[in-house]
Structures are given as structure tokens and as C-alpha cells.
């Protein structure tokens, strides 16, 4: 892993997971995270261990999952070598923290955040290390000020690494979190980067630390502002319907999901991003002029929020 100590990466990620879940418990005030420490059995294609933390049935969060994993495998899966064909079939090591929080109130957006590192190399070669991650927001009812606040947090997290990073990674996020079969973004975006190795391993590690450390301030003020707004059956039905689009993206397009399943990862942990309840409606069209219609007509259109 070149000059980067993998233990320092692991220590940071485990600490990040604990900081985030402790904060979410405090905001919820009712439910607590269940901690499920796991390890892969000997003889399985993927070796390693992790900590899955899951909260269900909370006052604020209907389901919140935050997982840490540190795994090693004999060969990189196809989803990880699209841009690095020279590493096809190479042994690898990967670690990261990934979270998805599904709030109960339809006016509070779902959020996703992930920071990760992968190291790989053929025997006798110096391992290649690269990083990925980001965060993105998926509202069911849009508020301009929430979108601005979230994107400001994303921009500020990347500012120390060059003025080009936020606009570049914002565009990447808009293009990545996109349901191609629906011709529709998953949400209002944020930042996303993958296969990042610019400036060396220490620079990449510093960047995922900055993104991870910025997450709570980017998201929690939105939760605190919206969690007490009144809602009823109409808002709930709309929330469940829009959650269906979230599920579609994660199962059909998400490279992280594909990586985990293709490499023999732990299915329960890989699918912690799934919402607890969801619905689909055939050719559903929101009422013209409604807040539900405004979501797709205005908010789910890639734009500059800053």
C-alpha cells in the first residue's frame, strides 16, 4: 500500500462510524443502533471482517444503516477494474464506511455517504492504492435552502484539495446517481468520486477524511429543521413511491452494490441501504402544480445550487 499505513485508515474509518452513529442516536432520541460485528468464514472467496450498525423503528429515522468493512480477496471483481484493466484478477484489499439513512418524516430527505480505499497489485508488484466516496441527498419534498446547505458542505469539504474538485465531483455525482432506465436523477446530488489516486495515497486519504468529517454538519441541520413538519397519508404515499426509485438505482446501477455481491461480500451488510417500506405504482403521474410534481420538475433537474 505504498507509504500509507492501512492501520491508520482502518482506525479513522472505525472512529468515523462511531461518531456518526452516536450523533444519529442523539438526534433520534428513541432508538439505538444494533451493532453486528462479523467476519467471513475460512474458505470463503472473500476474507475479512466488519461492523454493521443498524437502527430501525426510531422516532426520526425509520431505518438507518452504517457499515464498516475491511476485506481481502484473491482477485478484483469486474466492477472494480473497468478503469484499471491492468489490475484484472489481482489480489486486493478494501475498506470503507458506507451509510444510508431513511427518515420517517417525508419532509426529511434520505441521505447516503461513503468513503473507501482499495489497494491491489499482482504478486511481485507494488500495490496500487485508490480512493472513492462522496455524499448525496435524496429529498421527497424539495427545499432550496436545504439543497444549498448540503452542497455548501460538499464544496467546503473539497476546497483544500483544489478549486476544481467540487464542480468536477458534483458533475460526476449528477451523472452517476442517475436512473438511466427512467432518465431521472436519484436526488439532488452532492459529490461523488471514484478511482481517485491524484497526489498520492496520503492526499487521497486526507480527502476522504475531509468528506467523512463534513457529513454530519452537511446533513443534520436539515434533519433538525424538517423533522417536526406535519405530514399525512398523501406525503407518506409519495415518500414510499419515491423510495422505489432509490431501490431501483441501488440494485440496477450502483457499482458499490455490484462490487460487494460480485466479490462474495456479506449480503445483509451490502443491502443495509434498502428502505424498510416501499411501493410501486403503474405509470404514476403527480398532480400538476403539486409539491410532488415540483420534485421532479424542479429539484430532480441537475443544476448549480451555489
Amino acid at each position: 500500500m505504498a507509504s500509507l499505513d492501512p492501520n491508520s485508515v482502518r482506525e479513522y474509518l472505525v472512529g468515523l462510524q462511531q461518531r456518526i452513529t452516536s450523533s444519529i442516536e442523539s438526534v433520534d432520541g428513541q432508538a439505538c443502533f444494533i451493532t453486528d460485528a462479523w467476519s467471513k468464514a475460512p474458505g470463503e472467496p472473500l476474507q475479512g471482517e466488519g461492523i454493521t450498525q443498524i437502527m430501525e423503528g426510531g422516532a426520526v429515522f425509520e431505518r438507518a444503516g452504517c457499515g464498516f468493512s475491511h476485506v481481502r480477496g484473491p482477485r478484483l471483481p469486474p466492477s472494480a477494474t473497468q478503469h484499471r484493466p491492468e489490475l484484472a484478477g489481482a489480489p486486493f484489499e478494501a475498506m470503507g464506511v458506507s451509510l444510508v439513512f431513511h427518515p420517517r418524516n417525508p419532509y426529511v430527505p434520505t441521505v447516503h455517504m461513503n468513503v473507501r480505499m482499495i489497494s491491489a497489485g499482482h504478486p511481485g508488484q507494488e500495490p496500487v492504492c485508490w480512493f472513492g466516496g462522496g455524499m448525496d441527498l435524496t429529498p421527497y419534498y424539495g427545499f432550496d435552502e436545504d439543497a444549498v446547505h448540503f452542497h455548501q458542505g460538499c464544496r467546503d469539504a473539497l476546497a483544500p484539495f483544489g478549486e476544481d474538485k467540487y464542480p468536477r465531483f458534483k458533475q460526476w455525482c449528477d451523472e452517476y446517481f442517475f436512473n438511466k432506465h427512467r432518465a431521472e436523477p436519484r436526488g439532488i446530488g452532492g459529490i461523488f468520486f471514484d478511482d481517485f489516486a491524484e497526489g498520492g495515497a496520503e492526499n487521497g486519504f486526507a480527502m476522504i477524511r475531509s468528506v467523512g468529517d463534513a457529513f454530519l454538519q452537511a446533513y443534520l441541520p436539515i434533519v433538525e429543521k424538517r423533522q417536526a413538519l406535519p405530514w399525512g397519508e398523501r406525503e407518506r404515499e409519495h415518500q414510499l413511491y419515491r423510495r422505489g426509485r432509490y431501490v431501483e438505482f441501488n440494485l440496477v446501477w450502483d457499482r458499490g452494490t455490484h462490487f460487494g455481491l460480485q466479490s462474495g461480500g456479506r449480503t445483509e451488510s451490502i443491502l443495509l441501504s434498502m428502505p424498510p417500506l416501499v411501493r410501486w405504482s403503474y405509470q404514476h403521474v403527480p398532480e400538476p402544480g403539486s409539491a410532488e410534481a415540483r420534485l421532479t420538475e424542479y429539484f430532480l433537474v441537475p443544476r448549480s445550487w451555489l
Side-chain angles (χ1 to χ4, degrees), residues 253-298:
W253 299 108
D254 186 58
R255 284 181 63 193
T257 301
H258 296 168
F259 177 92
L261 296 176
Q262 291 173 2
S263 61
R266 187 172 184 262
T267 302
E268 282 292 302
S269 298
I270 296 165
L271 298 181
L272 63 77
S273 64
M274 295 295 104
L277 295 171
V278 63
R279 65 185 289 263
W280 279 267
S281 297
Y282 184 72
Q283 294 187 341
H284 174 74
V285 178
E287 179 184 337
S290 66
E292 292 82 8
R294 182 169 166 77
L295 176 73
T296 53
E297 293 169 359
Y298 175 75

Side-chain angles (χ1 to χ4, degrees), residues 45-295:
L46 198 66
Q47 292 297 297
E49 63 282 330
I51 305 168
T52 297
Q53 291 188 277
I54 189 83
M55 171 197 289
E56 295 182 300
V60 177
F61 295 96
E62 192 170 11
R63 191 169 196 253
C66 183
F68 162 78
S69 63
H70 182 187
V71 297
R72 294 160 291 277
R75 63 188 62 84
L76 278 168
S79 58
T81 57
Q82 294 176 7
H83 305 295
R84 298 175 183 275
E86 73 279 4
L87 291 175
F92 71 95
E93 178 177 9
M95 64 180 87
V97 165
S98 182
L99 64 83
V100 176
F101 299 155
H102 292 288
R104 186 175 298 280
N105 190 319
Y107 288 106
V108 182
T110 285
V111 73
H112 159 256
M113 192 275 289
N114 172 261
V115 285
R116 59 189 179 274
M117 182 215 70
I118 300 177
S119 175
H122 291 286
Q125 297 179 345
E126 185 72 24
V128 177
C129 184
W130 66 96
F131 299 82
M135 55 178 134
D136 65 284
L137 199 68
T138 304
Y140 306 101
Y141 291 90
F143 296 90
D144 288 78
E145 59 266 37
D146 294 353
V148 170
H149 173 83
F150 189 80
H151 277 270
Q152 283 178 336
C154 292
R155 180 192 61 189
D156 293 348
L158 294 175
F161 304 93
E163 294 183 0
D164 67 308
K165 298 300 183 297
Y166 169 73
R168 179 176 150 199
F169 294 168
K170 178 200 179 296
Q171 180 179 354
W172 201 342
C173 185
D174 289 339
E175 294 173 353
Y176 179 78
F177 290 105
F178 191 84
N179 269 322
K180 299 180 182 68
H181 63 292
R182 299 279 191 183
E184 178 185 271
R186 187 173 80 170
I188 62 158
I191 52 175
F192 175 81
F193 57 97
D194 202 5
D195 299 307
F196 185 84
E198 299 168 21
E202 289 292 349
N203 184 64
F205 181 31
M207 195 166 75
I208 66 167
R209 290 201 309 271
S210 187
V211 170
D213 293 345
F215 168 72
L216 288 173
Q217 184 54 39
Y219 181 58
L220 286 188
I222 299 172
V223 177
E224 291 163 356
K225 186 182 296 185
R226 307 298 171 195
Q227 66 184 30
L229 291 179
W231 55 277
E233 184 177 351
R234 172 174 176 158
E235 290 82 5
R236 176 61 162 175
E237 290 294 299
H238 176 66
Q239 178 195 47
L240 297 183
Y241 169 68
R242 293 302 311 179
R243 280 180 177 176
R245 302 298 172 90
Y246 205 90
V247 170
E248 288 177 22
F249 177 84
N250 282 20
L251 295 182
V252 177
W253 299 108
D254 186 58
R255 284 181 63 193
T257 301
H258 296 168
F259 177 92
L261 296 176
Q262 291 173 2
S263 61
R266 187 172 184 262
T267 302
E268 282 292 302
S269 298
I270 296 165
L271 298 181
L272 63 77
S273 64
M274 295 295 104
L277 295 171
V278 63
R279 65 185 289 263
W280 279 267
S281 297
Y282 184 72
Q283 294 187 341
H284 174 74
V285 178
E287 179 184 337
S290 66
E292 292 82 8
R294 182 169 166 77
L295 176 73

